[in-house]
């Protein structure tokens, strides 16, 4: 009998024992590594595996997010566990392995931000960990309009004055920047309004449909949703035309290029709009018809709520629900969430007060800080003084335009870090142009840090894209 089958069986048995031994060894090593990893996790607590943040978006708009992902599901994070340095208002949420921070206002430009989350624990227990992450925001840029006898130009500029041309036309009345487009108000050869929509770099121009042939005024853009609005009057008003200062809302989105504008329905007999604003971070509008009713409604005018009477809307601070409104009884603050109001606290400063510009704030309510102009007509202090005024009326002077110069507008940056002050030098020798929205021939925009009054280089032009409205026809 041959012994070959017996040898083969023995050889196969040895191979099986060797394989099983090796396999058991690998399992043992993996088990040890797994136990070691679990032990390490148990000792170290949650660890960061990914961080998502868009610093450029955080500077440009409110509502930007920072998302921290860890290696394990987490217990709910309380806002008291989170610190943002330098201080910035935020909300926090926890979902599975993620911690999400939503910044209520745009962040300051060129700033190192550190986010620290303390006592972070997994749902399975174990020790707590402290998570710290830092990111840097980029320089801020803005758009600026400059009119000349040769050509009107929209520039994109940084705050140091380095600018380049985005769009040119023979006649530019006004413009607004949305998150993805420029909407430019100009006139055709017949003197009728055109609204041109371009990309943010001025490319791919197209016309936005209008209600008819006429004039566009009070062009504004919402913070979100690519919505724009304007008042429209028929060109033949008085000889057949029926639209006068009628409020319309439209979309600048490419997908809505062929859509007709939406007429805002105003309750009551008076449909003409004297003043209006988009309410920041909402889909609502605040409007003043010619009869002086102060109305808060959806973007199409539906669900309008009467908030009393007014003469002019000075502004609504980004990040808040408080509007500053001129009324027959003086300046008041109106809380748009419940309709309550109170007189605006007087500033402890001499001079005739001009338009009041609220400073962005995160849900502070009534009594927030404002930027105010005060005109002093004579004496050593003659001129227009721009102050930051606290809720209790305490002023801090930021800027002075000498007597003879005119302050046309003040606009606060979305982050609340800067104020832009539009000045017409030597107004007597600086005549207004003949546009529908007239501006002196020479204008300059001064940028001032609201914290300490530091002045940045002045920019030639007006209508900085921070401004929610065009310069008023009178201050």
């Amino acid at each position: 009998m041959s012994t070959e089958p017996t040898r083969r069986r023995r050889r196969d048995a040895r191979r099986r024992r060797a394989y099983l031994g090796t396999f058991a060894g690998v399992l043992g090593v993996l088990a040890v590594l797994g136990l070691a990893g679990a032990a390490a996790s148990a000792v170290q607590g949650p660890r960061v595996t990914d961080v998502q943040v868009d610093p450029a978006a955080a500077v440009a708009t409110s509502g930007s997010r920072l998302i921290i992902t860890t290696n394990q599901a987490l217990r709910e994070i309380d806002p008291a566990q989170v610190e943002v340095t330098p201080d910035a208002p935020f909300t926090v949420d926890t979902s599975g392995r993620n911690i999400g921070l939503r910044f209520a206002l745009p962040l300051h430009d060129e700033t190192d931000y550190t986010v620290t989350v303390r006592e972070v624990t997994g749902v399975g227990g174990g020790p707590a960990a402290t998570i710290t992450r830092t990111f840097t925001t980029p320089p801020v840029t803005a758009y600026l309009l400059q009119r000349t006898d040769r050509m009107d130009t929209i520039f994109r500029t940084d705050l140091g004055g380095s600018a380049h041309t985005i769009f040119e036309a023979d006649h530019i009345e006004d413009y607004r920047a949305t998150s993805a487009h420029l909407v430019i108000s100009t006139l055709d050869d017949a003197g009728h309004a055109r609204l041109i929509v371009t990309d943010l770099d001025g490319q791919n121009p197209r016309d936005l449909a209008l209600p008819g042939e006429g004039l566009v005024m009070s062009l504004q853009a919402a913070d979100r949703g690519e919505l724009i609005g304007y008042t429209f009057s028929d060109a033949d008003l008085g000889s057949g035309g029926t639209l006068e200062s009628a409020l319309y809302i439209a979309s600048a989105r490419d997908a809505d290029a062929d859509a007709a504008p939406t007429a805002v329905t105003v309750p009551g007999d008076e449909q003409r709009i004297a003043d209006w604003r988009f309410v920041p971070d909402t889909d609502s509008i605040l409007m003043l018809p010619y009869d002086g009713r102060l109305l808060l409604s959806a973007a199409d005018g539906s669900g309008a709520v009467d908030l009393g009477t007014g003469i002019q809307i000075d502004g609504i601070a980004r990040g808040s629900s408080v509007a500053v409104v001129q009324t027959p009884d003086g300046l008041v603050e109106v809380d748009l969430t419940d309709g309550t109001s109170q007189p605006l606290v007087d500033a402890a400063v001499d001079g005739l007060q001009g338009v009041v510009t609220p400073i962005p704030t995160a849900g502070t309510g009534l009594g927030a800080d404002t930027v105010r102009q005060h005109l002093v007509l004579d004496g050593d202090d003659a001129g227009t003084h721009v102050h930051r005024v606290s809720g209790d009326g305490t002023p801090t002077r930021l800027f002075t335009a000498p007597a003879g110069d005119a302050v046309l507008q003040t606009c606060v940056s979305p982050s609340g870090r800067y104020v832009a002050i539009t000045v017409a030098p030597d107004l007597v020798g600086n005549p207004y142009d003949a546009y529908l929205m007239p501006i002196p021939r020479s204008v300059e925009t001064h940028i001032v840090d609201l914290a300490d009054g530091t002045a940045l280089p002045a920019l030639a032009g007006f209508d900085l894209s921070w401004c929610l409205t065009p310069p008023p026809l009178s201050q």
Side-chain angles (χ1 to χ4, degrees), residues 346-367:
D346 289 334
V349 63
D350 294 329
L352 303 174
Q353 183 168 273
V355 172
V356 175
T357 305
I359 295 175
T361 179
T364 301
L366 301 176

Side-chain angles (χ1 to χ4, degrees), residues 29 117 186 203 311 361 365 398 434:
V29 170
V117 189
T186 183
Q203 301 302 305
I311 299 171
T361 179
L398 300 171

Side-chain angles (χ1 to χ4, degrees), residues 11-325:
R11 186 169 60 249
D12 291 344
R14 286 195 301 271
R15 288 175 178 171
R16 283 195 296 272
R17 286 195 297 272
Y19 171 77
L20 291 172
T22 301
F23 183 69
V26 169
L27 287 179
V29 170
L30 291 175
V32 169
L33 291 175
L35 290 172
S41 294
V43 171
Q44 296 175 358
R47 292 180 290 108
V48 175
T49 60
D50 187 38
V51 176
Q52 299 178 46
V53 64
D54 184 345
V59 168
T61 61
S62 60
S64 63
R65 286 176 62 83
L66 178 143
I67 299 175
I68 299 172
T69 303
T70 67
N71 63 337
Q72 55 184 288
L74 302 174
R75 290 180 177 174
E76 191 74 19
I77 299 295
D78 187 273
Q81 297 171 242
V82 183
E83 180 183 8
V84 178
T85 307
D87 186 46
F90 65 89
T91 57
V92 63
D93 60 82
T94 315
S95 177
R97 298 185 297 125
N98 294 327
I99 303 169
L101 266 69
R102 180 185 182 273
F103 297 107
L105 293 173
L107 300 181
H108 288 186
D109 55 295
E110 295 187 278
T111 301
D112 295 328
Y113 279 90
T114 299
V115 175
T116 302
V117 189
R118 297 183 174 86
E119 297 297 319
V120 181
T121 56
V123 294
T130 295
I131 293 173
T132 301
R133 285 297 181 270
T134 298
F135 63 94
T136 302
T137 54
V140 69
T141 59
Y143 296 90
L144 194 70
L145 174 58
Q146 188 180 90
R147 293 177 183 166
T148 68
D149 293 336
R150 185 189 65 83
M151 187 72 69
D152 295 346
T153 305
I154 296 173
F155 295 94
R156 183 159 53 206
T157 180
D158 62 21
L159 300 188
S162 177
H164 63 276
T165 298
I166 294 295
F167 185 87
E168 289 184 314
D170 291 335
H171 184 114
I172 299 177
E173 285 285 339
D174 195 13
Y175 80 99
R176 286 291 168 270
T178 71
S179 59
H181 296 91
L182 295 179
V183 181
I184 302 154
S185 175
T186 183
L187 299 178
D188 63 18
D189 293 339
H192 299 148
R194 288 180 63 196
L195 286 182
I196 301 172
V197 179
T198 73
D199 300 337
L200 288 176
D201 59 2
Q203 301 302 305
N204 301 312
R206 57 179 170 84
D207 275 55
L208 199 63
L210 291 174
E213 293 184 342
L215 303 177
V216 164
M217 298 292 287
S218 192
L219 178 65
Q220 298 179 42
D223 283 346
R224 305 183 189 283
E226 291 291 295
L227 285 181
I228 62 109
Y230 53 87
T231 57
F232 182 85
S233 299
D234 282 328
D236 59 350
L237 188 66
S239 59
T242 58
L243 293 176
E244 180 182 2
S245 296
L247 182 57
Y248 282 84
I249 303 296
S251 171
R253 295 193 311 164
D254 294 337
D256 298 326
D258 298 326
T262 299
V264 175
T265 302
V266 183
D269 295 332
E270 181 57 81
Q271 298 291 301
R272 297 172 300 171
I273 300 299
D275 200 2
W276 75 282
R277 296 288 189 281
F278 281 112
V279 179
D281 296 320
T282 74
D283 59 356
S284 301
I285 58 175
L286 185 66
M287 53 185 171
L288 270 172
Y290 275 29
D291 58 10
R293 292 171 298 147
L294 184 65
L295 301 174
L296 177 68
S297 75
D300 60 0
S302 62
V305 177
D306 196 322
L307 298 178
T309 60
I311 299 171
Q312 177 178 299
I313 303 168
D314 276 23
I316 308 172
R318 289 180 170 97
S320 84
S321 59
V322 176
V324 176
V325 180

